[in-house]
Amino acid sequence: HCVEVSDAAWPYLRRNLAPTAVDVRLGDMADAFADLDGTVDVVVANPPYIPLTEYEGVPAEVRDYDPALALFSGPDGLDATRVVADVAARLLRPSGWVCSEHADAQGESAPQVFVRHGGFRRVADRLDLTARPRFVVAQRAGRMAP
């Protein structure tokens, strides 16, 4: 399953995933997949994570050509990550996992989003292949039914 918020990106996503069995949906991740609540084992997200205050520091080839919707996420860059935490808590089975990318400068603040949420345990940050902090993982609190 995957969700895309951009009307402009939607046709490309559908075309790219047409030969697969992936359930593609157009909409906002905040309310996507209500029919899957509590049944998902893994949620993977690549939300926008650049703070609005960093606009000028983003390379021109990115800032001028990539949609702002895909890049920027509030004053601290974590607005979308907070939504990911809420959605993952809703979608995941107890003990399911969420993995969400973030900027390397958010190696402490992104995991704190999941800690503060309160619905997760085993929150940890992970390094990418260049040894930079780049994604947070967290396990949904609760026990699996026998």
Side-chain angles (χ1 to χ4, degrees), residues 29-69:
M29 70 174 166
D31 54 20
F33 306 115
D35 55 313
L36 300 177
D37 285 358
T39 67
V40 175
D41 294 312
V42 177
V43 171
V44 178
N46 181 14
Y49 50 74
I50 300 173
L52 290 171
T53 57
E54 301 296 322
Y55 180 85
E56 293 299 324
V58 175
E61 65 270 13
V62 174
R63 183 185 66 229
D64 296 344
Y65 297 100
D66 286 2
L69 182 66

Side-chain angles (χ1 to χ4, degrees), residues 29-33 37 43 82-92 117:
M29 70 174 166
D31 54 20
F33 306 115
D37 285 358
V43 171
R82 291 181 189 91
V83 175
V84 169
D86 289 341
V87 172
R90 175 175 56 82
L91 289 175
L92 290 170
H117 181 281

Side-chain angles (χ1 to χ4, degrees), residues 5 18 24 30 38-39 49 55 62 78 86 97 106 111 114 122-123 133 145:
V5 70
V24 297
T39 67
Y49 50 74
Y55 180 85
V62 174
L78 296 171
D86 289 341
W97 287 89
Q106 297 165 329
F114 291 87
R122 298 177 67 185
V123 177

